[in-house]
Amino acid sequence: MEPTELEARLITLVEQACGVPFQDTGCGVESDLLKKGVLDSMALVTLLLQAGETFGVAFEDDDMMNPAITTIAGLASLIDARQGN
């Protein structure tokens, strides 16, 4: 299944954060990027900051405890909700 436009844009941000093409990670949009070792906690925070700036949303401290932020699909869903989509 092809990623949505939002997921594709997040994949680009992940590639920038980890320095590796997403297809080379063996992950999909539902993969836990922390458990797969694609991102560490600092790279995840950087990703959230970049995503917030890119999509005009704010993330709260509680979001760091939300397991959805560790997947492309989950993060895209959270961004959609924050944008009122």
Side-chain angles (χ1 to χ4, degrees), residues 7 10 29-30 66-80:
E7 289 169 345
L10 286 169
V29 296
E30 297 287 342
N66 184 344
I69 67 167
T70 64
T71 71
I72 297 289
L75 186 54
S77 179
L78 184 61
I79 291 168
D80 268 343

Side-chain angles (χ1 to χ4, degrees), residues 2 8 13-15 20-21 27 31 33 38 41-42 45 48 51-52 61 75 77 80:
E2 288 293 312
L13 293 178
V14 168
E15 290 174 333
V20 175
C27 293
S31 300
L33 301 175
V38 175
S41 59
M42 291 302 294
V45 170
L48 291 176
D61 291 340
L75 186 54
S77 179
D80 268 343

Side-chain angles (χ1 to χ4, degrees), residues 13-14 16-18 39-54 59 64 75:
L13 293 178
V14 168
Q16 292 170 352
C18 72
L39 299 176
D40 60 20
S41 59
M42 291 302 294
L44 180 61
V45 170
T46 299
L47 174 63
L48 291 176
L49 291 171
Q50 290 176 335
E53 289 178 20
T54 301
F59 295 100
M64 292 304 293
L75 186 54

